[in-house]
Amino acid sequence: ENTSYRSVALYTRVSSHDQKEDLARQLQRLRDFAAAQGWKVEKEVQEIESGLNGNRKKLISLLKDKSISVIVVEHRDRLARFGAEMIEACLSSGNRELVIVNETEYKEDLVQDFVDVITSMCAKIYGRRSAKNRAKRALEAVSK
């Protein structure tokens, strides 16, 4: 399908602030990809959040923006660690499109996502205050 006349947004994400340089590299690769397709980019969204966080404000805002008909991500897990297929289906039902530049999985965030899952589960079981300490102890036990 010819996407050149449709409004295109680039979405980049990393899990932590120490990966900020990768955010800039991701964005440049997406800009290069869009330019190679002849697409005019209307919006660029950069986010520093866990791929497991279902309440990412910038992504939600982008998904709600019906003026954007194509969302481009470098890897499927830049959009979401789980459930990207559901997001893609929802976009498709609104005659919108998700373009994934590279289908290989981005593994560097996997460890951070694992820590986030453990912390989240500990928070639900033990309460927020002790969650980080319990998660840390659980991770230490696993790594022995």
Side-chain angles (χ1 to χ4, degrees):
E1 181 179 339
N2 180 3
T3 313
S4 60
Y5 68 93
R6 301 177 78 192
S7 55
V8 175
L10 309 179
Y11 178 77
T12 58
R13 180 193 64 77
V14 293
S15 289
S16 60
H17 287 277
D18 61 347
Q19 296 172 307
K20 209 168 188 171
E21 285 180 13
D22 184 49
L23 200 59
R25 287 190 297 268
Q26 262 184 70
L27 183 59
Q28 189 55 56
R29 287 189 297 263
L30 290 183
R31 284 175 179 155
D32 293 345
F33 176 83
Q37 306 302 313
W39 297 345
K40 182 180 184 296
V41 175
E42 302 288 330
K43 191 179 269 191
E44 296 177 345
V45 178
Q46 297 182 61
E47 199 153 42
I48 300 174
E49 286 282 350
S50 168
L52 295 168
N53 181 355
N55 196 25
R56 284 180 271 148
K57 289 177 181 21
K58 291 181 179 181
L59 176 59
I60 289 171
S61 176
L62 179 60
L63 292 171
K64 286 180 176 180
D65 184 350
K66 290 184 180 162
S67 74
I68 298 297
S69 50
V70 179
I71 298 173
V72 184
V73 297
E74 187 172 30
H75 296 273
R76 184 174 296 278
D77 55 2
R78 296 299 85 205
L79 183 68
R81 184 58 73 184
F82 302 107
E85 297 80 7
M86 288 182 271
I87 294 171
E88 190 171 12
C90 288
L91 287 169
S92 177
S93 73
N95 199 28
R96 298 166 74 200
E97 183 182 0
L98 175 66
V99 173
I100 299 157
V101 175
N102 186 340
E103 284 287 353
T104 60
E105 190 175 353
Y106 189 79
K107 302 223 182 307
E108 288 187 26
D109 278 358
L110 223 42
V111 172
Q112 184 61 48
D113 288 344
F114 182 70
V115 170
D116 292 345
V117 166
I118 297 294
T119 303
S120 174
M121 289 181 172
C122 287
K124 287 179 180 166
I125 295 169
Y126 304 110
R128 294 268 170 226
R129 193 173 306 160
S130 65
K132 282 200 190 291
N133 291 333
R134 287 182 184 266
K136 184 179 174 200
R137 288 199 304 267
L139 289 168
E140 287 169 356
V142 169
S143 65
K144 287 183 183 177

